[in-house]
């Protein structure tokens, strides 16, 4: 019995066009009349008149930075997607952590609206509450139920997926026709997959178990055995370059002379920053530097297999005659740092290296070799893909915007000038016994007591881009009520916090805009920003009955 075998990569054209036995057939798509009655996907945004609606492929990397050269190893990906389409130079995530960011991709919502705040079940990561409230409204669920798309998922879903207290591996989220999901967090060997709700264990034999290659092979099998009567959506979520950074054997000696970039914010002390940054030790120890350099090198090594995966997908789509009617997106769930402000390795911080990600797109109607400076966020992926399918964003509760007009070169386009970034720190309100000199609540600590997170590493930011400003405004929910502001035109490495020197009127407007975004939902998340011509500011709204400036209130219990 053949079950999406991991046979060597070879096209199969002669057999019947269906998935092999052992793979349950998807429910039939709704008939056209039913879609008409339901107000489904009636447009053909990216397809020629009379042709089938476009297919969509989304490849999602795990912890891949953009600022520190994360795309450098992906030469084939840049050639096959970026050079054949559009590269976004200002793509951001609303939360620099895996589960909240992935939830934003799936729902098109900011974290304060999907309520996934960290990587734990208690933080709503793949919890029963998430499954009940959010999963039925994800964009893949809409594509399946309202647009008749075949939907395929392979790889890492959410960090707590498969937890026994939340349905285990038998839970298959609504909206997926074919489901090949990794149990919990990224691994390369010795993992378990949920294959349409049934567990399959993998060991450590490279030829059949290396996860990036397994994902490539099951994806190619889907392309060969799916139905040809309906369009498809594929989401392929690789483990790379997330730890434990296990490269394929043929790539384990690559990049031996590569080290983490020694840019201007590498191994320096953040003297005018939030206390969590100030606690880092500068200079870093030699052991920390060796560790982060090795991690940086291994991260690049793991990405070479992702590059192979993208190449195989593109070649198979071309061989099957479907490439010209397929949009391919490549992005990451968050960035990463290696030594910036003397923090050895992690994400979770508000700075560009953690919140900025790669985004490359090719597809019908997209001219090659384009770069867009437009400010986009991963909450825009769902709306854009639904727009491609012909489904109206107005029928959803999504916070993001469709950037399909940008992809197609629309002129005189009104676009946003800011996005929200928000993060709720992890940690318990106790002192780490190995680091008694540090404040309570620290977590993700290294042996030399440099900690990457804390329960009050809780912040929200407005990231603003306009013709005149390239600005970031952030507030922390801590005893200091700390504020960080950066002018990234003059200070791209975010060395100088200008919160105390910036125009107080502008500071007040940014504070008010932050409050507006943090309480926004759906269309109100797309209202004009501070530097948009349509922005209106009433300073009276900033003051409470006691006359003090209102600042954002953070929820400790979003569930």
């Amino acid at each position: 019995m053949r079950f999406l075998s991991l046979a060597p990569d070879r096209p199969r054209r002669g057999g019947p066009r269906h998935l092999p036995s052992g793979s349950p057939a998807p429910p039939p798509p709704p008939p056209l009349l039913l879609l008409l009655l339901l107000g489904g996907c009636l447009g053909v945004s990216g397809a020629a008149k009379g042709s089938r609606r476009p297919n969509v492929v989304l490849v999602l990397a795990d912890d891949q930075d953009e600022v520190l050269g994360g795309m450098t190893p992906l030469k084939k990906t840049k050639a096959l997607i970026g050079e054949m389409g559009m590269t976004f130079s200002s793509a951001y995530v609303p939360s620099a952590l895996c589960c909240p960011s992935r939830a934003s991709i799936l729902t098109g919502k900011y974290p304060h609206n999907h309520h996934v705040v960290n990587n734990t079940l208690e933080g709503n990561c793949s919890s029963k509450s998430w499954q009940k409230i959010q999963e039925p409204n994800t964009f893949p669920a809409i594509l399946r139920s309202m647009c008749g798309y075949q939907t395929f998922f392979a790889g890492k879903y959410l960090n707590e997926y498969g937890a026994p207290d939340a349905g285990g591996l038998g839970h298959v989220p609504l909206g997926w026709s074919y489901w090949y999901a990794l149990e919990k967090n990224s691994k390369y060997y010795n993992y378990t997959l949920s294959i349409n709700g049934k567990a399959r264990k993998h060991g450590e034999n490279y030829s059949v178990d290396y996860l990036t290659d397994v994902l490539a092979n099951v994806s190619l099998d889907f392309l060969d055995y799916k139905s040809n009567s309906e369009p498809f959506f594929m989401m392929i979520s690789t483990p790379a370059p997330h730890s434990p950074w296990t490269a394929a054997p043929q790539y384990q000696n690559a990049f031996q002379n590569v080290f983490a970039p020694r840019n201007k914010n590498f191994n320096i002390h953040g003297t005018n920053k939030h206390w969590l940054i100030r606690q880092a030790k500068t200079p870093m120890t030699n052991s920390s530097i060796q560790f982060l350099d090795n991690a940086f090198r291994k991260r690049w090594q793991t990405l070479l297999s992702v590059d192979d995966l993208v190449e195989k997908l593109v070649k198979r789509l071309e061989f099957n005659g479907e490439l010209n009617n397929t949009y391919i997106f490549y992005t990451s769930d968050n960035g990463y740092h290696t030594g910036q402000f003397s923090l050895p390795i992690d994400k979770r911080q508000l700075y560009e290296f953690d919140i900025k990600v790669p985004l490359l797109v090719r597809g019908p109607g997209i001219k090659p070799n384009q770069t867009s400076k437009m400010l986009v966020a991963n909450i825009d992926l769902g709306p854009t893909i639904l727009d491609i399918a012909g489904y109206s964003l107005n029928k959803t509760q999504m916070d993001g915007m469709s950037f399909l007009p940008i992809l197609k070169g629309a002129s005189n386009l009104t676009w946003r000038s800011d996005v929200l970034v928000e993060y709720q720190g992890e940690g318990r309100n106790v002192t780490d016994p190995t680091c008694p000199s540090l404040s309570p609540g620290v977590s993700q600590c290294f042996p030399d007591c440099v900690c990457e997170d804390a329960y009050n590493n809780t912040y929200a930011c407005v990231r603003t881009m306009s013709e005149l400003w390239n600005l970031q405004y952030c507030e922390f929910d801590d005893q200091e009520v700390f504020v960080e502001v950066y002018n990234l035109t003059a200070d791209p490495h975010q060395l100088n916090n200008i919160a105390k020197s910036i125009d107080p009127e502008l500071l007040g407007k940014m504070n008010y805009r932050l409050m507006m975004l943090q309480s926004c939902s759906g269309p109100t998340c797309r209202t004009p920003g501070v530097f948009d011509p349509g922005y209106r500011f009433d300073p009276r709204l900033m003051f409470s009955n006691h006359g003090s400036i209102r600042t954002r209130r953070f929820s400790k219990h979003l569930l």
Side-chain angles (χ1 to χ4, degrees):
M1 179 173 64
R2 187 177 185 282
F3 190 100
L4 288 185
S5 75
L6 306 181
D9 178 18
R10 63 181 184 274
R12 289 174 287 271
R13 299 285 288 177
R17 306 296 290 176
H18 58 78
L19 283 174
S21 63
S23 220
L32 180 59
L33 178 60
L34 179 57
L35 292 178
L36 285 166
L37 293 173
L38 294 176
C41 302
L42 303 180
V44 285
S45 304
K49 186 176 181 181
S51 66
R52 198 179 71 189
R53 282 165 292 160
N55 311 305
V56 182
V57 176
L58 171 60
V59 180
L60 179 65
D62 194 349
D63 284 2
Q64 184 182 0
D65 67 277
E66 193 275 338
V67 171
L68 301 178
M71 284 300 297
T72 303
L74 296 170
K75 294 181 179 179
K76 292 180 280 192
T77 300
K78 288 187 290 185
L80 293 170
I81 303 180
E83 292 176 16
M84 297 302 295
M86 182 175 288
T87 299
F88 287 85
S89 61
S90 302
Y92 289 85
V93 296
S95 186
L97 189 63
C98 296
C99 205
S101 181
R102 288 164 183 267
S104 287
I105 291 173
L106 291 164
T107 63
K109 297 177 182 179
Y110 284 120
H112 70 268
N113 286 328
H114 62 58
H115 305 305
V116 178
V117 296
N118 58 41
N119 290 342
T120 67
L121 277 179
E122 295 76 16
N124 204 27
C125 181
S126 203
S127 68
K128 289 184 177 180
S129 174
W130 157 267
Q131 295 168 14
K132 179 180 179 180
I133 298 172
Q134 301 299 338
E135 282 185 345
N137 298 304
T138 63
F139 79 86
I142 296 172
L143 284 175
R144 182 70 197 142
S145 64
M146 302 302 295
C147 306
Y149 271 64
Q150 303 167 84
T151 53
F152 169 93
F153 182 88
K156 175 179 171 179
Y157 177 57
L158 301 176
N159 295 57
E160 283 296 322
Y161 173 73
D165 292 343
L169 294 174
H171 171 70
V172 177
L174 189 67
W176 295 102
S177 312
Y178 305 102
W179 181 252
Y180 302 86
L182 176 68
E183 181 182 30
K184 297 196 174 180
N185 208 357
S186 281
K187 292 183 178 180
Y188 298 82
Y189 294 110
N190 298 310
Y191 56 86
T192 302
L193 293 178
S194 169
I195 302 182
N196 298 315
K198 296 183 179 180
R200 172 179 286 184
K201 293 184 180 294
H202 281 261
E204 50 189 20
N205 181 343
Y206 168 71
S207 64
V208 294
D209 295 321
Y210 188 70
L211 182 55
T212 306
D213 292 350
V214 169
L215 300 182
N217 286 324
V218 297
S219 299
L220 298 180
D221 278 347
F222 168 76
L223 289 175
D224 283 347
Y225 288 93
K226 63 177 175 57
S227 167
N228 275 342
S229 63
E230 292 294 328
F232 62 83
F233 168 70
M234 303 176 71
M235 183 171 178
I236 305 160
S237 182
T238 75
H242 195 285
S243 61
W245 316 305
T246 308
Q250 67 269 31
Y251 296 134
Q252 288 178 355
N253 293 320
F255 308 120
Q256 289 303 305
N257 296 319
V258 168
F259 301 90
R262 269 47 172 180
N263 50 13
K264 290 185 178 180
N265 53 21
F266 179 84
N267 201 16
I268 68 165
H269 194 63
T271 54
N272 58 354
K273 290 175 168 51
H274 173 234
W275 77 268
L276 186 64
I277 307 301
R278 299 197 303 263
Q279 57 86 33
K281 295 178 173 61
T282 307
M284 290 183 287
T285 62
N286 289 336
S287 60
S288 289
I289 292 177
Q290 290 174 3
F291 177 77
L292 68 87
D293 276 336
N294 190 46
F296 187 90
R297 189 177 304 114
K298 288 183 175 181
R299 282 164 51 79
W300 275 22
Q301 291 169 356
T302 66
L303 284 169
L304 293 175
S305 293
V306 178
D307 210 28
D308 292 340
L309 178 153
V310 170
E311 181 185 40
K312 291 175 183 177
L313 280 171
V314 173
K315 285 185 174 180
R316 186 59 56 85
L317 286 165
E318 185 174 27
F319 184 86
N320 290 354
E322 295 177 308
L323 182 59
N324 291 337
N325 195 37
T326 301
Y327 287 87
I328 306 176
F329 293 72
Y330 183 92
T331 191
S332 172
D333 58 357
N334 49 255
Y336 207 75
H337 58 257
T338 47
Q340 284 61 49
F341 302 124
S342 297
L343 297 175
I345 59 162
D346 199 44
K347 50 262 187 177
R348 309 168 197 263
Q349 308 307 327
L350 60 90
Y351 308 103
E352 292 285 283
F353 42 73
D354 284 359
I355 64 173
K356 193 173 183 181
V357 292
L359 178 58
L360 291 68
V361 191
R362 69 171 287 172
I366 305 176
K367 295 179 180 179
N369 284 310
Q370 291 191 88
T371 299
S372 174
K373 297 181 180 179
M374 292 293 197
L375 181 61
V376 297
N378 71 8
I379 57 170
D380 302 328
L381 290 171
T384 302
I385 293 170
L386 289 177
D387 195 6
I388 289 170
Y391 191 81
S392 172
L393 175 61
N394 294 330
K395 299 173 184 175
T396 75
Q397 298 175 331
M398 294 181 176
D399 304 331
M401 303 170 64
S402 169
F403 55 80
L404 183 59
I406 297 175
L407 293 174
K408 293 198 163 189
S411 57
N412 300 320
L413 180 67
T414 300
W415 195 249
R416 67 155 71 90
S417 65
D418 59 25
V419 294
L420 174 69
V421 178
E422 51 189 349
Y423 178 70
Q424 186 160 315
E426 290 188 72
R428 294 179 300 128
N429 194 12
V430 295
T431 301
D432 187 331
T434 63
C435 304
S437 63
L438 295 179
S439 300
V442 293
S443 66
Q444 311 296 318
C445 297
F446 283 79
D448 50 4
C449 289
V450 174
C451 302
E452 295 276 0
D453 203 3
Y455 79 96
N456 67 346
N457 180 38
T458 296
Y459 60 82
C461 306
V462 180
R463 183 68 178 90
T464 291
M465 286 187 181
S466 69
E467 292 184 3
L468 299 177
W469 287 95
N470 186 2
L471 187 72
Q472 185 176 22
Y473 172 90
C474 302
E475 295 179 8
F476 282 84
D477 181 32
D478 59 11
Q479 291 181 343
E480 294 179 292
V481 193
F482 202 78
V483 176
E484 296 189 28
V485 183
Y486 298 97
N487 177 355
L488 283 97
T489 301
D491 180 23
H493 297 286
Q494 297 170 288
L495 303 175
N496 301 308
N497 178 6
I498 60 172
K500 295 182 179 179
S501 60
I502 196 170
D503 181 354
E505 182 180 354
L506 177 57
L507 200 67
K509 288 182 178 181
M510 296 304 296
N511 168 264
Y512 178 61
R513 180 61 179 164
L514 179 61
M515 289 192 297
M516 292 286 291
L517 284 175
Q518 189 56 26
S519 60
C520 76
S521 178
T524 60
C525 297
R526 306 188 289 271
T527 54
V530 170
F531 298 104
D532 290 321
Y535 178 75
R536 297 293 180 266
F537 173 62
D538 183 352
R540 293 172 299 179
L541 298 175
M542 294 182 56
F543 295 88
S544 68
N545 294 334
H546 301 286
S548 60
I549 292 181
R550 294 171 56 200
T551 56
R552 175 190 179 278
R553 297 185 178 220
F554 293 78
S555 170
K556 294 296 184 185
H557 302 285
L558 291 179
L559 302 181

